[in-house]
């Protein structure tokens, strides 16, 4: 499909906070796994006839093996998830493509996103699709084919299609970011279902708004619903199509301030998800179309585009700035929400196994001291017997010597 490998070195990407934390917690669980298995071996060794561990003790420790295994499975699959929402044609699919540095998702006229699309890394070199609830992998050779496959499959607007794209082609996918594209929030009455199905585990939400208009009631309503179901959601607002401002430079600052104020107000006072100051860091004026074109050009991909409008570099920098802040936010949030509970459970498991071992240890020491005590008692008894014997012997001796004396006395008298 002509994709060039993206060899961006991403060692100082904020996403590494998550990547490193994930590696570390995975390593810790390998250790916990070893520890639990050692404990099981030990339990077996001290159980059985005349053993110290009861069958329940053994079963108890054994039950942690599968628990640890289950957590390790979840950990392997843990990722950072970002979901994009906004009105139809605001440029959601284009924003995702720009972030992925490639035209992956179909966008534009005739390519309205008609279901949920979840783009995630594939460990193979191939790109493929999988619809929800099916194991069948549909190979995708090209983007246009992806578009056709999606159109042909007549999907329901709230169904989900997984798009697996080779990790090596894209830095975000390589670092375990999963991106979810959605149909326009204005085309559905099922917003609650959307939120319940696709949003509860999202780490970040991006509202793709249209800088040529203002925030719409449908967009606002959607995020009102989100913030009632999720406490303190992380929301970014992209005022997309900001390239349109190039044609009216005299109003640029004024329009920008107006949009920015409304967005700050929406996040801080309406939704109350952050302070006005924090909100300022969550609002960007960008052109996804330009950002995507710039990136395709950088990778020497053929693009059929007119020259970019004035100020495109500034807009591009703002897009890059958004990506940086987004990466910081998503990695921190994912570490907190996903790994905090795993490390808590890991600690509990280690403590429980420790307690089980301690119980056996205590039984063993109890038995040992019981034996020692028995010996002590025995010893005392023996000593008592010994003492008695000594006394008896002494008494006997006395008696005998007295007898001897009296006999001697009698003999002397008779002489
Ligand atoms: P739906 O999937 O239909 O809800 O739309 P969407 O939000 O995914 O929008 P999409 O990315 O398909 O973009 C719609 C059209 O807007 C496409 O033709 C894009 O090329 C164009 N577009 C997207 N971003 C920009 C932008 O920043 N500036 C301009 N001028 N056009 C843009
Ligand atoms: Mg779309």
């Amino acid at each position: 499909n002509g994709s060039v490998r993206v060899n961006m070195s991403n060692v100082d990407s904020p996403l590494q906070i998550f990547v490193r934390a994930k590696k570390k917690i995975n390593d810790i669980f390998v250790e916990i796994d070893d520890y639990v298995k050692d404990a099981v071996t030990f339990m077996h060794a001290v159980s059985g006839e005349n053993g110290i561990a009861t069958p329940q003790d053994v079963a108890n420790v054994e039950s942690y093996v599968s628990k640890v295994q289950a957590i390790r499975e979840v950990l392997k699959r843990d990722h950072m998830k970002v979901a994009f929402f906004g009105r139809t044609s605001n440029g959601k699919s284009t924003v995702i493509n720009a972030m992925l540095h490639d035209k992956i998702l179909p966008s534009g006229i005739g390519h309205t996103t008609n279901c949920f699309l979840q783009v995630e890394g594939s460990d193979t070199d191939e790109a493929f699709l999988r619809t929800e609830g099916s194991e069948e992998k549909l190979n995708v050779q090209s983007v246009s084919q992806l578009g056709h496959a999606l159109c042909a499959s007549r999907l329901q607007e709230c169904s989900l299609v997984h798009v697996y794209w080779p990790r090596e082609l894209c830095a975000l996918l390589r670092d375990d970011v999963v991106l979810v594209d959605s149909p326009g929030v204005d085309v559905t009455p099922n917003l609650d279902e959307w939120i319940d199905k696709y949003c509860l585990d999202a780490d970040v939400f991006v509202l793709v708004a249209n800088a040529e208009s203002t925030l719409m009631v449908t967009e606002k309503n959607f995020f009102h619903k989100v913030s009632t179901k999720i406490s303190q959601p992380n929301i970014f607002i992209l005022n997309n199509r900001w390239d349109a401002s190039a044609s009216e430079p005299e109003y640029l600052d004024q329009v920008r301030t107006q949009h920015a104020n409304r967005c700050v107000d929406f996040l801080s006072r309406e939704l109350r998800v952050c302070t006005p100051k924090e909100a300022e860091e969550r609002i960007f004026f960008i052109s996804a179309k330009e950002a995507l074109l710039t990136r395709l050009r950088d990778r020497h991909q053929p693009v059929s585009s007119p020259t970019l409008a004035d100020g495109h570099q500034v807009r591009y920098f703002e897009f890059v700035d958004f990506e940086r802040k987004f990466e910081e936010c998503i990695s921190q949030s994912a570490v907190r929400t996903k790994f905090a509970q795993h490390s808590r459970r890991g600690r509990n498991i280690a403590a429980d196994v420790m307690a089980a071992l301690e119980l056996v240890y205590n039984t063993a020491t109890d038995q040992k001291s019981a034996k020692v005590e028995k010996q002590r008692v025995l010893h005392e008894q023996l000593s008592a017997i010994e003492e008695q014997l000594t006394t008896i012997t002494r008494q006997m001796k006395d008696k005998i010597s007295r007898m001897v004396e009296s006999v001697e006395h009698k003999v002397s008298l008779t002489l």
Side-chain angles (χ1 to χ4, degrees):
N1 55 17
S3 301
V4 177
R5 289 192 178 248
V6 187
N7 276 325
M8 279 171 295
S9 149
N10 57 353
V11 281
D12 37 56
S13 151
L15 295 177
Q16 291 298 315
I17 299 170
F18 178 86
V19 175
R20 290 199 199 106
K22 180 170 170 176
K23 183 168 173 351
K24 201 165 192 174
I25 196 158
N26 271 294
D27 290 348
I28 291 172
F29 268 88
V30 171
E31 275 177 45
I32 295 180
D33 203 10
D34 284 348
Y35 168 60
V36 171
K37 283 178 184 153
D38 281 352
V40 170
T41 314
F42 172 77
M43 282 296 194
H44 277 294
V46 297
S47 68
E49 238 175 283
N50 303 324
I52 333 162
T54 64
Q56 281 111 299
D57 291 332
V58 181
N60 175 32
V61 172
E62 267 175 345
S63 74
Y64 289 102
V65 174
S66 56
K67 281 182 194 153
V68 172
Q69 204 53 44
I71 297 175
R72 285 185 64 190
E73 282 304 312
V74 173
L75 266 174
K76 259 188 250 159
R77 277 183 280 114
D78 263 342
H79 54 236
M80 297 170 266
K81 180 166 160 185
V82 50
F84 296 79
F85 292 97
R87 275 166 47 85
T88 310
S89 288
N90 277 2
K92 300 174 293 295
S93 303
T94 311
V95 168
I96 296 176
N97 285 338
M99 291 174 79
L100 295 172
H101 293 241
D102 206 345
K103 265 196 106 179
I104 295 176
L105 298 178
S107 70
I109 303 154
H111 286 299
T112 291
T113 310
N114 54 6
C115 65
F116 277 80
L117 292 176
Q118 174 161 323
V119 189
E120 53 198 288
S122 133
D123 291 321
T124 67
D125 271 350
E126 283 158 70
F128 58 94
L129 290 186
R130 192 168 57 77
T131 48
E132 203 178 14
S134 145
E135 284 303 311
E136 193 192 353
K137 291 178 180 177
L138 298 168
N139 263 48
V140 178
Q141 303 299 329
S142 66
V143 175
S144 60
Q145 202 196 358
L146 174 66
H148 288 306
L150 291 174
C151 285
S153 45
R154 299 217 159 272
L155 294 148
Q156 283 227 307
E157 137 247 308
C158 57
S159 62
L160 175 70
V161 172
H162 292 267
V163 179
Y164 294 92
W165 202 257
R167 275 173 200 279
E168 285 313 308
L169 295 180
C170 173
L172 283 182
L173 301 182
R174 191 171 45 215
D175 287 344
D176 280 337
V177 176
V178 167
L179 303 96
V180 178
D181 193 7
S182 64
V185 283
D186 45 331
V187 301
T188 181
N190 302 329
L191 293 177
D192 286 295
E193 190 184 353
W194 280 16
I195 296 171
D196 292 341
K197 281 179 89 173
Y198 305 117
C199 298
L200 299 181
D201 65 338
D203 299 294
V204 168
F205 294 88
V206 177
L207 164 55
V208 181
N210 187 343
E212 290 166 302
S213 63
T214 183
L215 282 184
M216 301 281 177
V217 176
T218 42
E219 289 165 328
K220 288 187 165 189
N221 277 348
F222 176 75
F223 281 96
H224 274 292
K225 280 179 190 287
V226 167
S227 67
T228 58
K229 298 206 183 196
I230 300 170
S231 78
Q232 301 293 310
N234 296 304
I235 304 171
F236 283 81
I237 301 180
L238 295 180
N239 290 285
N240 191 33
R241 293 172 170 269
W242 191 230
D243 49 316
S245 67
S247 58
E248 293 174 51
E250 63 276 29
Y251 299 118
L252 192 122
D253 287 340
Q254 201 187 328
V255 175
R256 184 179 172 125
T257 311
Q258 204 175 50
H259 278 316
N261 287 344
R262 284 191 186 144
C263 292
V264 168
D265 216 55
F266 177 56
L267 293 180
S268 62
R269 265 183 282 279
E270 269 192 53
L271 295 181
R272 296 168 178 276
V273 292
C274 58
T275 65
K277 206 164 164 42
E278 286 163 343
E280 281 170 24
E281 300 288 305
R282 294 281 170 91
I283 294 154
F284 298 87
F285 291 78
I286 56 137
S287 167
K289 190 178 177 179
E290 288 176 345
L292 176 60
L293 283 176
T294 306
R295 287 180 171 174
L296 291 178
R297 275 184 190 167
D298 285 351
R299 292 174 53 194
H300 309 293
Q301 296 247 331
V303 285
S304 56
S305 66
T307 47
L308 301 176
D310 277 352
H312 66 92
Q313 278 128 330
V314 179
R315 288 187 290 276
Y316 183 66
F317 287 142
E318 190 151 343
F319 189 80
V320 174
D321 188 31
F322 153 68
E323 289 180 307
R324 180 100 195 162
K325 301 233 168 74
F326 155 76
E327 288 181 5
E328 268 166 23
C329 176
I330 198 168
S331 58
Q332 279 165 9
S333 160
V335 166
R336 220 177 15 246
T337 56
K338 311 228 149 87
F339 298 156
Q341 54 165 338
H342 290 318
S343 59
R344 225 175 5 252
R345 289 185 64 194
R347 190 153 9 106
N348 288 345
I349 289 175
D352 289 352
V353 172
M354 178 82 184
L357 290 177
E358 234 158 34
L359 206 70
V360 171
Y361 173 79
N362 289 343
T363 316
T365 36
D366 283 355
Q367 286 192 3
K368 188 177 161 203
S369 46
K371 270 185 198 154
V372 171
E373 174 66 14
K374 223 179 196 169
Q375 267 175 358
R376 197 182 59 77
V377 171
L378 211 66
H379 185 77
E380 260 171 28
Q381 285 172 348
L382 283 174
S383 316
I385 292 168
E386 227 169 88
E387 222 168 276
Q388 278 175 356
L389 280 174
T390 333
T391 323
I392 291 167
T393 332
R394 202 183 316 119
Q395 285 171 349
M396 293 279 279
K397 261 193 198 157
D398 285 352
K399 217 174 178 176
I400 290 168
S401 60
R402 265 201 307 275
M403 271 166 64
V404 171
E405 255 173 49
S406 80
V407 170
E408 274 175 358
H409 183 67
K410 278 182 189 158
V411 170
S412 70
L413 284 182
T414 51
L415 284 178

